[in-house]
Amino acid sequence: MAAGLLGKFATVGGATLASRILGFVRDALIGRALGTSDAAEAYVAAFALPNLFRRIFAEGAFNTAFVPLFAKRLEGKGENAAQVFAQHVVSLLVPVLFVLSALLIFAMPLVMAGLNPFWVAGELPYPEKYTLSIVYGRIMFPYLFCMSLVAMLSGVLNALRQYFVAAIVPVLLNVILVAAVAAGIYFNLDKNDVGLALAWGVFIAGFAQLLLLVAATRSQGFRLLPGRPRLNADTRRLMVLMGPAVLTGGVLQINLVVGQIIASAQDGARALLYYADRLNQLPLGLIGIAVGVVLLPELSRALKAKDMEQAASLQNRSLEFALGLTLPAAVGFLVLPVALVSLVFEGGAFTRETSEQTAYALAAYTSGLPAYVLIKVFQPAYFAREDMVSPFRFSLAMVAANIIGSIVLFPSFGHVGIALATSISAWLNVLLLAGRLYKRRQFTPSEQTWRRLALILLASLAMGFAVWGAKELFAEQIFSADYIDRLLSTGLIVVGGSLLYLAIIAATGAIDPALWSRARAKVLRR
């Protein structure tokens, strides 16, 4: 069972890795083409709005409410009952999304003013950023319509244990955006026009992703076409569960938005936070999303079968898996922030000074990286039991802590203070989630789990000291003006540190080698 769970994590994580690699290429090109210009900030502000909804729906509120309900019908009543339920949901979802999208596109000037208040008011207004963000936002916003439907179809496939197609869909977005920004660079377009090309790329990608998932669900025998919307017991239950989960599932994104609103007071800060967050999202995407997507339906099935032993094992294995990969990643980012940012983004409009400012924000975000992933581990334990109220309350505390922290830290630390406040609030959420589960006896780490976590922490610290020493030894090559020198030196340090970490956890038994071998064999058979 544990090897099967790890195999599914690897399947989702592998598909996400392809998307993240292309995402790196995309963001590196955007950084070189736009830097922290007005067009860059307008693009970040415009894309943040549909992207916020995408992350809330695809990785949060919708799936956390829809997947358990769909999975229970699938397990308890069969595919026909599950398809009827999904049909009712899509029939209700399409008109709601259409009206919401139309209203927000019309109101885009007000929306952008609300998200970027210092661009239209205050001592230093930035009218060009504001105007560009409205143009880009109106082009991009239909992406929300597509991504909400993509979230539902992904939930259907995940409940059917078909994880790969839903995980690979984001690759389309990155392929199209890479083509758009590469064309802009090749034809030497003005920065504003490059931003326009990116906006149209987002629009096209949304419909491409939706069509791919429609084909995938049809191949599984699910033909979901919108019909007459109706409110019945099933759709009402979904709406009740989604209400508090809208905040709970997307609270990390809401925290980022709060920070970005405050960041509009600092010229270039939104772009700096965007670039830092893109690097921070790599391990979060590979580990946190994979854990959340796989754990929720598996945990729902275990609870439906009243198999408490399996449910506890799923929770412990997920915790070990998540921290076994997240802690070393966090340590690496904290030790090598400037080198990594420079390697990915620096060049063209992205200067060394921009690299350093981005690296400071990356280090602040990274301090909360384990917390972001642990939220993905603990929240499904609530959602699978249809308890949306507790995570909702904890999310309110998290958002309040983030707002207060950002306001307090921003005057002294600028954009770095915003990133640090986000991390602090994430750790608060983890403590509240884990504490309530422990009190209810729904999270009981075994002695073996505690031992493994301690060994993972020690291995991560040992790796961190080794990487820090190598960074000091090869500082001249790491920060050289020559890109090949930076690539080789930083790459060797990263690979060497990774191998050292793996050797330590293998030697100490922090992660059972036989478990990894079985999981790897399962992935290869796929």
Side-chain angles (χ1 to χ4, degrees):
M1 181 272 295
L5 185 67
L6 283 173
K8 290 166 187 172
F9 288 159
T11 297
V12 177
T16 307
L17 177 61
S19 176
R20 296 296 175 178
I21 291 173
L22 281 171
F24 267 162
V25 175
R26 176 198 72 193
D27 293 327
L29 290 174
I30 291 173
R32 284 166 169 75
L34 301 181
T36 56
S37 63
D38 286 350
E41 294 233 272
Y43 165 75
V44 171
F47 193 38
L49 191 59
N51 209 32
L52 167 68
F53 283 94
R54 176 188 69 82
R55 288 173 175 173
I56 290 175
F57 276 86
E59 300 155 15
F62 187 85
N63 264 8
T64 54
F66 175 78
V67 169
L69 295 177
F70 183 84
K72 286 177 181 177
R73 279 156 183 77
L74 191 65
E75 291 293 315
K77 299 180 180 179
E79 289 192 3
N80 288 337
Q83 182 158 341
V84 169
F85 170 64
Q87 186 72 46
H88 289 162
V89 173
V90 77
S91 297
L92 188 64
L93 196 58
V94 167
V96 170
L97 289 171
F98 182 82
V99 172
L100 177 63
S101 298
L103 287 174
L104 286 175
I105 288 172
F106 177 77
M108 194 59 67
L110 292 176
V111 173
M112 285 302 167
L115 291 175
N116 308 280
F118 293 98
W119 289 2
V120 294
E123 298 179 2
L124 293 173
Y126 303 104
E128 186 172 4
K129 293 181 189 180
Y130 176 60
T131 302
L132 285 173
S133 68
I134 294 170
V135 174
Y136 296 167
R138 281 176 164 160
I139 295 171
M140 291 184 197
F141 205 77
Y143 188 69
L144 165 62
F145 179 89
C146 296
M147 287 303 100
S148 300
L149 294 174
V150 162
M152 178 186 171
L153 298 178
S154 297
V156 170
L157 292 173
N158 290 334
L160 294 169
R161 299 181 178 178
Q162 301 296 317
Y163 300 106
F164 182 76
V165 175
I168 204 69
V169 157
V171 170
L172 285 175
L173 172 67
N174 289 326
V175 168
I176 292 170
L177 293 187
V178 164
V181 70
I185 293 173
Y186 180 79
F187 291 108
N188 197 29
L189 296 181
D190 178 81
K191 289 183 174 65
N192 294 354
D193 290 334
V194 174
L196 192 63
L198 286 167
W200 281 112
V202 172
F203 177 89
I204 294 168
F207 287 95
Q209 290 172 294
L210 178 58
L211 290 174
L212 177 61
L213 278 179
V214 167
T217 50
R218 286 191 173 189
S219 71
Q220 297 297 316
F222 282 76
R223 298 173 64 86
L224 302 176
L225 297 174
R228 182 171 66 87
R230 62 182 69 181
L231 279 175
N232 54 29
D234 289 339
T235 52
R236 286 193 185 96
R237 181 59 178 163
L238 178 69
M239 292 170 66
V240 168
L241 293 178
M242 277 188 63
V246 166
L247 179 58
T248 303
V251 71
L252 172 58
Q253 308 313 317
I254 292 171
N255 272 347
L256 292 175
V257 168
V258 169
Q260 288 162 355
I261 290 172
I262 298 172
S264 67
Q266 177 185 334
D267 191 24
R270 289 207 64 162
L272 292 170
L273 289 172
Y274 171 80
Y275 296 129
D277 183 54
R278 295 313 302 157
L279 274 174
N280 189 54
Q281 286 292 322
L282 176 64
L284 180 60
L286 289 176
I287 307 161
I289 295 173
V291 169
V293 166
V294 174
L295 180 59
L296 179 56
E298 296 291 333
L299 195 56
S300 297
R301 284 191 174 89
L303 292 174
K304 175 70 175 178
K306 297 183 179 180
D307 189 343
M308 297 300 108
E309 183 178 349
Q310 183 184 10
S313 180
L314 284 167
Q315 193 86 50
N316 284 332
R317 296 295 81 74
S318 297
L319 181 64
E320 294 166 15
F321 175 84
L323 289 182
L325 296 181
T326 305
L327 278 177
V331 170
F333 277 153
L334 285 170
V335 175
L336 293 172
V338 178
L340 293 172
V341 170
S342 171
L343 191 63
V344 175
F345 295 112
E346 194 169 305
F350 206 101
T351 64
R352 175 55 57 88
E353 181 182 358
T354 309
S355 292
E356 292 173 353
Q357 292 299 316
T358 302
Y360 299 147
L362 174 62
Y365 274 138
T366 297
S367 66
L369 180 58
Y372 307 145
V373 177
L374 288 176
I375 290 172
K376 298 288 186 180
V377 171
F378 291 127
Q379 280 184 348
Y382 291 90
F383 298 141
R385 294 176 172 88
E386 298 186 15
D387 175 8
M388 306 295 173
V389 175
S390 297
F392 173 71
R393 290 173 177 169
F394 301 154
S395 298
L396 288 178
M398 179 179 179
V399 171
N402 180 53
I403 294 172
I404 294 170
S406 295
I407 292 172
V408 170
L409 295 173
F410 181 74
S412 299
F413 301 100
H415 68 289
V416 179
I418 294 171
L420 187 59
T422 303
S423 295
I424 293 170
S425 65
W427 278 112
L428 173 64
N429 199 11
V430 169
L431 291 174
L432 293 172
L433 288 167
R436 177 65 61 84
L437 288 174
Y438 185 80
K439 186 176 181 181
R440 292 177 175 175
R441 299 184 183 276
Q442 294 170 350
F443 170 56
T444 52
S446 64
E447 291 185 8
Q448 183 185 52
T449 295
W450 283 120
R451 175 182 172 277
R452 286 176 173 173
L453 294 181
L455 291 172
I456 287 168
L457 175 61
L458 291 174
S460 299
L461 292 175
M463 182 206 72
F465 281 113
V467 168
W468 179 82
K471 181 191 72 171
E472 294 298 309
L473 184 62
F474 297 103
E476 184 176 346
Q477 291 83 358
I478 290 174
F479 301 108
S480 167
D482 185 79
Y483 183 79
I484 298 300
D485 283 350
R486 283 187 280 144
L487 176 63
L488 291 176
S489 56
T490 304
L492 285 173
I493 291 173
V494 170
V495 171
S498 301
L499 291 175
L500 175 63
Y501 172 76
L502 291 174
I504 294 173
I505 63 171
T508 58
I511 295 181
D512 183 2
L515 185 63
W516 284 103
S517 297
R518 293 195 299 271
R520 184 173 64 251
K522 186 176 181 68
V523 172
L524 292 175
R525 287 198 300 270
R526 290 168 180 245

